[in-house]
Amino acid sequence: MMTTSKYVMAASIIATMTIMTPTSNAFAPRQCSSRVIQHVQSHNSLMQMNQVQKEIHATSSSSNESVSKDLGPQPVVVSKESEALSHSRTTMKLTPSFNLFQMLPDDEGGLVPPTIAGNELRDSDILKVGVPDTLWDMKLSDYKGLGGDKKIETLPDPFQMVEKELKPFSDSIQELVSTDQPILSMAAKHFFQKRHGKRFRPTIIQLMSKAVAACDPENMKAGDGWQDSGASNVDVEGGVVTSTNHKGSDVWRKQAQLGQIVEMIHVASLIHDDVLDEADTRRGGEAVHKLYSNKVAVLAGDYLLARASVLLARLENTAVVQIMATALESLVAGEIMQLKSSPEELLQMESYLRKSYYKTASLVCYACRSSALLGGHAYGSTVATACEEFGFHMGLAFQIQDDILDFTAAADILGKPALADMSLGLSTAPILYAAQEFPHLQPLIKRRFSKKGDKQTALEALYKSKTAMNKAKRLAEFHAQRAVEALLRLPQSEARDALLRLTYVVITRKN
C-alpha cells in the first residue's frame, strides 16, 4: 500500500500543481523545488544513486531517444535524474506509445519503431493459431461510407452491448464524487448530472474488458523482466478469467471502476482546459467556470483527480497505478506542448500527432492496457500490447476526426464552439495539409493566427484546397485501420467485433 500511495500522490501533484499555476507563470522556477532539492541533498543516502538504477535508466533513455530524436524535442515534465532515482529493477519503464507504434503512414515518411519493451509482441499471432476468425482480413475501406459496399451493421452494436451496464454509470459516478461542500459537489457533478457526452471512453473500456476475458493468459518467457509482470491475481472459479465467469466477478467490477476513473480524469481535464482556454461552452452547455468561477472550476477538477487517484489505488494493482499515473502526466505534457511549441514545431505533422497523443490518445491506450492487466494478463503479453496499440490508434483517429469536424460541423452539433482550435492559435491536420499545398499559410501558422485576417486567409485556403481535407481523412482512416489490425490479433468474440464497429463509427461520425 505504501508504494501505491506514492504513485497516487505523484499523479495528483503532477496534475494539480501544473494546472493551478497561472499560465504566465507556469514555467517559472518554484521556490519549493529548490527546498526539496536541498532537503534531498542533506541526505547522503539519497545522493548515492544505485548503479542498477543508472543502468536501467540509461538503457531506457537511449531507446526512447533513438526513436524520437527526429521528431523534435519532447515536453520535459520530469528530469532524467529524477526518473532514474525513482526506478528499480521491478518498476515499469514505460515508453510513450508513439515510440512503440507507427504514427504516420508509409507514404508520409512514417516508420515502424524498433522493438523494445512494450511492443515486443506487437506482431504476434500466437492467440490466433488454429482459431477461426470470420473477420481475419477486415478492411474498413470495404464498408459503406469508406469506399466499399459492406454494411457495418452486420457487426454487433457497441453501445447497445454495454447499454445496461453503463445505464447506472452517471448515478454511480455522482455518488463517488459526492462531497460535503455544496458548490464543489455541484461543480464536480455537473457533467455527470446532465449525462452529456458520448461515454466513448467507458464504452471502450467495458468492451475491451469483455474482449480480454475471451483471451487465455500467455505463458510469458522465463525471467524477471518488468514487462513480464503486472497481471492482477484474479480470484475467479478456475483461476482464469473467461467469457463465462467474467461478468459479476471482482475482475469485472475493477475493470468497470477503471472506466469510471478514466471518465473522472477526462472530465477533470475538460474543466481545466476550459479555464485555460477561456471557453464558454462544453458538451452543449455552459462551461463549469462560467456557471461558477475559475477558482471553483479548478478546485472541482482537482477534486475529481483526487477522487480518481483514490479509486485507482483501490484497484490494488501497482502496475495499473503506474500506467494510469503516467496517463495523468501525459495530459500535463500535452498542455505544456500546446503552450510552448516553437513556431517550427507548429508546422510539423509529427508534432501535431504527438500532442494529440498526449492530450487524447494516451488516456485511452493506457486504460486499454490497464484493462488487460486487471484481467490477468502481463504488461508485455500479446493481449496487453494489442490493447495499447488499439487504444493508441483509436485515440488518434478520434482526435483527427474531431479536428476535421471542427471545420465541417456547426457549433450546435459539436456541443462546443466551431473553429475553437484556430481561435487558440492551434493548427490541426486539415490546416497543416493545406499549408503543404499553399506555403503562404506557413507564416500564419507559425505566429498562431495572431494577426487580423489570418484565420480567414487560412480558412479560404483550406476550402480552396482539393487535397487537404481528403489527406486528413486518410490519416484518420490509417489510424483506424491500424486499430482494427491490433484488435484482429485477439480471438474473435462479440465484444471484439463490437470494438471493430466502434472504430468505424469513430471516423464516420458527424459530431
Side-chain angles (χ1 to χ4, degrees), residues 318-364:
T318 55
V320 170
V321 174
Q322 286 181 260
I323 293 169
M324 295 308 297
T326 304
L328 274 176
E329 184 182 53
S330 296
L331 293 176
V332 179
E335 283 299 326
I336 294 173
M337 196 170 185
Q338 183 165 298
L339 288 168
K340 300 297 288 184
S341 291
S342 68
E344 290 72 25
E345 288 169 345
L346 293 173
L347 289 171
Q348 297 173 1
M349 188 63 69
E350 295 92 340
S351 181
Y352 156 73
L353 288 173
R354 185 178 290 177
K355 184 201 71 176
S356 298
Y357 160 76
Y358 280 128
K359 294 199 66 176
T360 302
S362 62
L363 186 58
V364 178

Side-chain angles (χ1 to χ4, degrees), residues 370-386:
S370 294
S371 180
L373 268 61
L374 291 173
H377 299 273
Y379 174 87
S381 65
T382 301
V383 174
T385 303

Side-chain angles (χ1 to χ4, degrees), residues 5 18 68 169 180 187 190 285 304 343 352 368 387 403 446 470 498:
S5 300
T18 305
S68 60
F169 185 87
D180 293 333
H190 174 67
L304 284 174
Y352 156 73
C368 285
C387 287
D403 294 337
K446 291 170 77 172
N470 287 333

Side-chain angles (χ1 to χ4, degrees), residues 49-50 67 73 81 97 116 135 205 227 250 274 280 282 286 332 339 416 425 456 504:
M49 186 184 299
N50 187 291
V67 176
E81 292 76 14
S97 303
I116 56 176
L135 297 170
I205 295 165
Q227 62 267 37
D250 189 54
D274 288 344
D280 293 330
R282 172 69 71 173
E286 280 192 279
V332 179
L339 288 168
K416 58 185 178 182
Q456 185 63 32
Y504 168 91

Side-chain angles (χ1 to χ4, degrees), residues 300-314:
D302 291 348
Y303 176 66
L304 284 174
L305 290 174
R307 286 298 294 157
S309 297
V310 170
L311 295 172
L312 183 59
R314 290 175 184 165

Side-chain angles (χ1 to χ4, degrees), residues 28 104 119 181 212 214 285 298 341 371-373 375 402 409 420 445 491:
L104 275 172
N119 68 6
Q181 301 298 321
V212 165
V298 171
S341 291
S371 180
L373 268 61
D402 241 21
I445 292 172

Side-chain angles (χ1 to χ4, degrees), residues 123-143:
D123 299 316
S124 173
D125 60 357
I126 190 171
L127 301 174
K128 305 298 290 295
V129 176
V131 179
D133 189 341
T134 60
L135 297 170
W136 66 273
D137 61 345
M138 178 180 177
K139 297 286 188 295
L140 289 173
S141 57
D142 292 337
Y143 290 82

Side-chain angles (χ1 to χ4, degrees), residues 43-119:
H43 293 77
N44 291 333
S45 60
L46 291 179
M47 283 290 291
Q48 298 172 344
M49 186 184 299
N50 187 291
Q51 186 61 33
V52 172
Q53 292 173 324
K54 286 183 178 179
E55 293 172 0
I56 289 171
H57 180 69
T59 303
S60 175
S61 297
S62 62
S63 298
N64 292 352
E65 288 171 2
S66 65
V67 176
S68 60
K69 62 184 179 181
D70 295 327
L71 301 180
Q74 297 187 49
V76 177
V77 178
V78 181
S79 70
K80 293 181 179 180
E81 292 76 14
S82 297
E83 276 291 278
L85 280 169
S86 67
H87 277 308
S88 69
R89 284 191 181 278
T90 56
T91 53
M92 294 189 162
K93 292 78 184 176
L94 302 179
T95 302
S97 303
F98 54 72
N99 284 342
L100 299 177
F101 313 113
Q102 188 169 346
M103 193 161 59
L104 275 172
D106 296 344
D107 60 1
E108 292 190 38
L111 298 172
V112 178
T115 301
I116 56 176
N119 68 6

